[in-house]
Amino acid sequence: QVQLVESGGGLVQPGGSLRLSCAMSGRTVASYLVGWFRQAPGKEREFVAGFRRTGADTVYADSVKGRFTISRDNAKSTLQMKSLKPEDTAVYYCGARYTGANDYGYWGQGTQVTVSS
């Protein structure tokens, strides 16, 4: 069992930066890979950033490549977002999947990011 709690969302102007955090807890968090997703109003949840199945390399959605950076330090993952655009407005979720697995089995409650002037 893995628990995830996101933090760091808020309101930011276009072009600004924001850093999201995901705190993980549970007995075997080291065996899980973290990914970030987002869901905008009226749209399906979409992948934003994560680690490949081996955990060695990162992967990003084309829409955020070069602007967002995912990192992990033990039981905490960070999503650094810069050059934010209004279309980045969404609820951001972190998810966890067992190393080598395809599906994310655990999710946080989400944190709202609003990019607006």
Side-chain angles (χ1 to χ4, degrees), residues 45-106:
R45 187 177 298 186
E46 63 175 0
F47 173 81
V48 175
F51 295 89
R52 297 196 185 276
R53 291 179 65 184
T54 59
D57 299 314
T58 56
V59 59
Y60 298 91
D62 287 343
S63 58
V64 307
K65 203 171 292 183
R67 300 188 298 121
F68 290 13
T69 303
I70 186 173
S71 62
R72 177 170 176 177
D73 181 11
N74 293 323
K76 178 182 175 182
S77 175
T78 299
L79 185 68
Q80 179 68 50
M81 307 183 294
K82 62 180 183 180
S83 302
L84 284 162
K85 305 175 182 179
E87 50 264 42
D88 294 320
T89 296
V91 177
Y92 283 71
Y93 299 88
C94 65
R97 61 186 173 107
Y98 194 78
T99 302
N102 291 323
D103 298 327
Y104 288 80
Y106 300 95

